[in-house]
Amino acid sequence: MIDLPTDLPADIVPLSWLLGVWEGTGVIDYEADGAAFQGEFAHRVSFSHDGGDYVNYAASAWLLGDGEARTPLVAETGYWRLARPAAAVDAGPALLPASAARPAPRTADDVEALRNAEGGFDLEVAIVHSDGISELYLGQVRGPRIDLATDAVIRPSSAKVYTAATRMYGLVDAHLLWAWDIAALGGELASHASARLARVE
């Protein structure tokens, strides 16, 4: 059973089932550039909030070897938020303060007005990888399922070729299941990794 905080900002309530720290293992299985990449990995994911209208995201993964051996894979950090137009009552861009006072905190009714035609809520997710790659995902949360697809991928010249991705997250039997498809190293968009994580905090 997952206990949800009762004092969450209204904007992140549709994502509240993600909050916490999740750990587990998964498998990598991807072929590109004439090579097959396979193995088991350990994964730690954190979804948290600091009172803002977004969820903080951080994740790290390690390839598992013999015994206790762990080889670091990519680490990620980012922000997940409901898609809604920025208004004068919102801060930004950069350090610019809001140009109008917010009359009251956003309510559940305000968020409900954002529900899409499929019964979910549109999402914007920004993720930066430790190798310098940045992804902007668009998608939706509908109940305990999230589907995301890259709208943009930016990579420095030092990074390996990576052009697109999709991610799916779901809450199943109190576990966080996810799958990540990628187009990388000249390969087409294809299954890349999946994992089953348990909430540890």
Side-chain angles (χ1 to χ4, degrees), residues 85-113:
V89 297
D90 296 305
L95 296 178
L96 298 179
S99 58
R102 185 178 296 275
R106 288 173 53 78
T107 67
D109 289 338
D110 294 330
V111 172
E112 188 61 29

mmCIF file of all heavy atoms in Angstrom, residues 85-113:
data_model
loop_
_atom_site.group_PDB
_atom_site.id
_atom_site.type_symbol
_atom_site.label_atom_id
_atom_site.label_comp_id
_atom_site.label_asym_id
_atom_site.label_seq_id
_atom_site.Cartn_x
_atom_site.Cartn_y
_atom_site.Cartn_z
ATOM 1 N N PRO A 85 -0.372 26.298 -19.962
ATOM 2 C CA PRO A 85 0.288 27.548 -20.361
ATOM 3 C C PRO A 85 0.741 28.346 -19.139
ATOM 4 O O PRO A 85 0.014 28.451 -18.147
ATOM 5 C CB PRO A 85 -0.811 28.305 -21.125
ATOM 6 C CG PRO A 85 -1.799 27.259 -21.522
ATOM 7 C CD PRO A 85 -1.747 26.210 -20.447
ATOM 8 N N ALA A 86 1.949 28.888 -19.195
ATOM 9 C CA ALA A 86 2.431 29.754 -18.124
ATOM 10 C C ALA A 86 1.631 31.047 -18.149
ATOM 11 O O ALA A 86 1.295 31.576 -19.206
ATOM 12 C CB ALA A 86 3.918 30.040 -18.301
ATOM 13 N N ALA A 87 1.326 31.541 -16.947
ATOM 14 C CA ALA A 87 0.533 32.765 -16.819
ATOM 15 C C ALA A 87 1.323 33.819 -16.058
ATOM 16 O O ALA A 87 2.420 33.553 -15.551
ATOM 17 C CB ALA A 87 -0.783 32.455 -16.099
ATOM 18 N N ALA A 88 0.775 34.999 -15.961
ATOM 19 C CA ALA A 88 1.452 36.097 -15.267
ATOM 20 C C ALA A 88 1.703 35.784 -13.798
ATOM 21 O O ALA A 88 2.609 36.342 -13.179
ATOM 22 C CB ALA A 88 0.623 37.378 -15.390
ATOM 23 N N VAL A 89 0.942 34.849 -13.229
ATOM 24 C CA VAL A 89 1.114 34.490 -11.814
ATOM 25 C C VAL A 89 2.231 33.472 -11.603
ATOM 26 O O VAL A 89 2.549 33.122 -10.470
ATOM 27 C CB VAL A 89 -0.200 33.944 -11.216
ATOM 28 C CG1 VAL A 89 -1.273 35.011 -11.231
ATOM 29 C CG2 VAL A 89 -0.648 32.686 -11.948
ATOM 30 N N ASP A 90 2.843 32.998 -12.712
ATOM 31 C CA ASP A 90 3.933 32.029 -12.630
ATOM 32 C C ASP A 90 5.274 32.732 -12.744
ATOM 33 O O ASP A 90 5.429 33.663 -13.531
ATOM 34 C CB ASP A 90 3.815 30.991 -13.759
ATOM 35 C CG ASP A 90 2.561 30.160 -13.642
ATOM 36 O OD1 ASP A 90 2.354 29.563 -12.568
ATOM 37 O OD2 ASP A 90 1.790 30.097 -14.629
ATOM 38 N N ALA A 91 6.250 32.279 -11.969
ATOM 39 C CA ALA A 91 7.609 32.807 -12.088
ATOM 40 C C ALA A 91 8.247 32.319 -13.383
ATOM 41 O O ALA A 91 7.806 31.349 -13.990
ATOM 42 C CB ALA A 91 8.438 32.361 -10.891
ATOM 43 N N GLY A 92 9.340 33.014 -13.796
ATOM 44 C CA GLY A 92 10.099 32.591 -14.958
ATOM 45 C C GLY A 92 9.799 33.463 -16.164
ATOM 46 O O GLY A 92 8.900 34.299 -16.123
ATOM 47 N N PRO A 93 10.584 33.285 -17.225
ATOM 48 C CA PRO A 93 11.686 32.333 -17.303
ATOM 49 C C PRO A 93 12.882 32.775 -16.449
ATOM 50 O O PRO A 93 12.940 33.901 -15.971
ATOM 51 C CB PRO A 93 12.043 32.324 -18.792
ATOM 52 C CG PRO A 93 11.611 33.666 -19.285
ATOM 53 C CD PRO A 93 10.402 34.042 -18.452
ATOM 54 N N ALA A 94 13.811 31.852 -16.289
ATOM 55 C CA ALA A 94 15.012 32.065 -15.479
ATOM 56 C C ALA A 94 14.611 32.511 -14.079
ATOM 57 O O ALA A 94 13.746 31.906 -13.472
ATOM 58 C CB ALA A 94 15.964 33.035 -16.160
ATOM 59 N N LEU A 95 15.204 33.581 -13.552
ATOM 60 C CA LEU A 95 14.920 34.030 -12.193
ATOM 61 C C LEU A 95 13.877 35.134 -12.135
ATOM 62 O O LEU A 95 13.696 35.779 -11.098
ATOM 63 C CB LEU A 95 16.206 34.516 -11.513
ATOM 64 C CG LEU A 95 17.285 33.460 -11.304
ATOM 65 C CD1 LEU A 95 18.525 34.083 -10.679
ATOM 66 C CD2 LEU A 95 16.776 32.324 -10.436
ATOM 67 N N LEU A 96 13.174 35.366 -13.225
ATOM 68 C CA LEU A 96 12.170 36.426 -13.235
ATOM 69 C C LEU A 96 10.999 36.052 -12.333
ATOM 70 O O LEU A 96 10.442 34.953 -12.443
ATOM 71 C CB LEU A 96 11.668 36.670 -14.652
ATOM 72 C CG LEU A 96 12.726 37.141 -15.662
ATOM 73 C CD1 LEU A 96 12.098 37.324 -17.034
ATOM 74 C CD2 LEU A 96 13.389 38.424 -15.185
ATOM 75 N N PRO A 97 10.607 36.958 -11.440
ATOM 76 C CA PRO A 97 9.450 36.678 -10.572
ATOM 77 C C PRO A 97 8.151 36.810 -11.359
ATOM 78 O O PRO A 97 8.117 37.347 -12.472
ATOM 79 C CB PRO A 97 9.559 37.753 -9.495
ATOM 80 C CG PRO A 97 10.288 38.878 -10.155
ATOM 81 C CD PRO A 97 11.240 38.241 -11.139
ATOM 82 N N ALA A 98 7.081 36.304 -10.768
ATOM 83 C CA ALA A 98 5.761 36.446 -11.378
ATOM 84 C C ALA A 98 5.444 37.928 -11.544
ATOM 85 O O ALA A 98 5.814 38.756 -10.713
ATOM 86 C CB ALA A 98 4.716 35.772 -10.501
ATOM 87 N N SER A 99 4.756 38.270 -12.626
ATOM 88 C CA SER A 99 4.402 39.680 -12.869
ATOM 89 C C SER A 99 3.035 40.034 -12.298
ATOM 90 O O SER A 99 2.614 41.176 -12.376
ATOM 91 C CB SER A 99 4.450 39.983 -14.367
ATOM 92 O OG SER A 99 3.578 39.130 -15.073
ATOM 93 N N ALA A 100 2.342 39.044 -11.744
ATOM 94 C CA ALA A 100 1.048 39.298 -11.098
ATOM 95 C C ALA A 100 0.952 38.405 -9.873
ATOM 96 O O ALA A 100 1.501 37.306 -9.846
ATOM 97 C CB ALA A 100 -0.102 39.004 -12.057
ATOM 98 N N ALA A 101 0.270 38.871 -8.863
ATOM 99 C CA ALA A 101 0.098 38.100 -7.638
ATOM 100 C C ALA A 101 -0.898 36.974 -7.879
ATOM 101 O O ALA A 101 -1.922 37.170 -8.533
ATOM 102 C CB ALA A 101 -0.382 39.000 -6.517
ATOM 103 N N ARG A 102 -0.567 35.803 -7.343
ATOM 104 C CA ARG A 102 -1.491 34.671 -7.443
ATOM 105 C C ARG A 102 -2.626 34.912 -6.448
ATOM 106 O O ARG A 102 -2.380 35.091 -5.258
ATOM 107 C CB ARG A 102 -0.758 33.370 -7.136
ATOM 108 C CG ARG A 102 -1.630 32.126 -7.342
ATOM 109 C CD ARG A 102 -0.852 30.843 -7.071
ATOM 110 N NE ARG A 102 0.241 30.640 -7.983
ATOM 111 C CZ ARG A 102 0.131 30.065 -9.182
ATOM 112 N NH1 ARG A 102 -1.042 29.667 -9.609
ATOM 113 N NH2 ARG A 102 1.196 29.902 -9.949
ATOM 114 N N PRO A 103 -3.855 34.881 -6.907
ATOM 115 C CA PRO A 103 -4.962 35.184 -5.992
ATOM 116 C C PRO A 103 -5.142 34.134 -4.904
ATOM 117 O O PRO A 103 -5.518 34.440 -3.789
ATOM 118 C CB PRO A 103 -6.181 35.245 -6.918
ATOM 119 C CG PRO A 103 -5.783 34.491 -8.141
ATOM 120 C CD PRO A 103 -4.297 34.640 -8.277
ATOM 121 N N ALA A 104 -4.854 32.875 -5.224
ATOM 122 C CA ALA A 104 -4.986 31.781 -4.253
ATOM 123 C C ALA A 104 -4.257 30.579 -4.838
ATOM 124 O O ALA A 104 -4.007 30.518 -6.043
ATOM 125 C CB ALA A 104 -6.455 31.455 -4.020
ATOM 126 N N PRO A 105 -3.882 29.627 -3.992
ATOM 127 C CA PRO A 105 -3.244 28.420 -4.536
ATOM 128 C C PRO A 105 -4.168 27.741 -5.549
ATOM 129 O O PRO A 105 -5.392 27.807 -5.444
ATOM 130 C CB PRO A 105 -3.048 27.539 -3.297
ATOM 131 C CG PRO A 105 -3.066 28.479 -2.145
ATOM 132 C CD PRO A 105 -4.003 29.593 -2.536
ATOM 133 N N ARG A 106 -3.557 27.102 -6.538
ATOM 134 C CA ARG A 106 -4.350 26.359 -7.518
ATOM 135 C C ARG A 106 -5.086 25.229 -6.811
ATOM 136 O O ARG A 106 -4.584 24.633 -5.880
ATOM 137 C CB ARG A 106 -3.447 25.828 -8.626
ATOM 138 C CG ARG A 106 -2.959 26.948 -9.548
ATOM 139 C CD ARG A 106 -1.926 26.489 -10.559
ATOM 140 N NE ARG A 106 -2.353 25.344 -11.335
ATOM 141 C CZ ARG A 106 -3.203 25.385 -12.362
ATOM 142 N NH1 ARG A 106 -3.735 26.528 -12.725
ATOM 143 N NH2 ARG A 106 -3.519 24.297 -13.021
ATOM 144 N N THR A 107 -6.285 24.952 -7.269
ATOM 145 C CA THR A 107 -7.142 23.972 -6.619
ATOM 146 C C THR A 107 -7.282 22.713 -7.472
ATOM 147 O O THR A 107 -6.878 22.684 -8.643
ATOM 148 C CB THR A 107 -8.541 24.557 -6.388
ATOM 149 O OG1 THR A 107 -9.164 24.762 -7.676
ATOM 150 C CG2 THR A 107 -8.470 25.871 -5.615
ATOM 151 N N ALA A 108 -7.913 21.703 -6.886
ATOM 152 C CA ALA A 108 -8.205 20.477 -7.623
ATOM 153 C C ALA A 108 -9.096 20.779 -8.828
ATOM 154 O O ALA A 108 -8.940 20.157 -9.891
ATOM 155 C CB ALA A 108 -8.864 19.462 -6.702
ATOM 156 N N ASP A 109 -10.005 21.736 -8.689
ATOM 157 C CA ASP A 109 -10.862 22.109 -9.825
ATOM 158 C C ASP A 109 -10.042 22.734 -10.950
ATOM 159 O O ASP A 109 -10.315 22.500 -12.132
ATOM 160 C CB ASP A 109 -11.959 23.079 -9.382
ATOM 161 C CG ASP A 109 -13.025 22.404 -8.523
ATOM 162 O OD1 ASP A 109 -13.162 21.161 -8.618
ATOM 163 O OD2 ASP A 109 -13.706 23.112 -7.778
ATOM 164 N N ASP A 110 -9.030 23.538 -10.588
ATOM 165 C CA ASP A 110 -8.136 24.126 -11.603
ATOM 166 C C ASP A 110 -7.428 23.026 -12.381
ATOM 167 O O ASP A 110 -7.290 23.094 -13.612
ATOM 168 C CB ASP A 110 -7.090 25.031 -10.948
ATOM 169 C CG ASP A 110 -7.682 26.259 -10.292
ATOM 170 O OD1 ASP A 110 -8.722 26.748 -10.759
ATOM 171 O OD2 ASP A 110 -7.083 26.725 -9.298
ATOM 172 N N VAL A 111 -6.958 22.018 -11.661
ATOM 173 C CA VAL A 111 -6.244 20.916 -12.308
ATOM 174 C C VAL A 111 -7.207 20.065 -13.124
ATOM 175 O O VAL A 111 -6.890 19.648 -14.244
ATOM 176 C CB VAL A 111 -5.494 20.065 -11.259
ATOM 177 C CG1 VAL A 111 -4.908 18.808 -11.886
ATOM 178 C CG2 VAL A 111 -4.395 20.903 -10.613
ATOM 179 N N GLU A 112 -8.382 19.823 -12.591
ATOM 180 C CA GLU A 112 -9.371 19.012 -13.316
ATOM 181 C C GLU A 112 -9.689 19.623 -14.673
ATOM 182 O O GLU A 112 -9.941 18.910 -15.651
ATOM 183 C CB GLU A 112 -10.635 18.862 -12.477
ATOM 184 C CG GLU A 112 -11.651 17.894 -13.035
ATOM 185 C CD GLU A 112 -11.159 16.460 -13.163
ATOM 186 O OE1 GLU A 112 -10.288 16.052 -12.372
ATOM 187 O OE2 GLU A 112 -11.638 15.750 -14.075
ATOM 188 N N ALA A 113 -9.635 20.938 -14.776
ATOM 189 C CA ALA A 113 -9.904 21.618 -16.039
ATOM 190 C C ALA A 113 -8.844 21.302 -17.096
ATOM 191 O O ALA A 113 -9.054 21.534 -18.286
ATOM 192 C CB ALA A 113 -9.984 23.131 -15.813
#
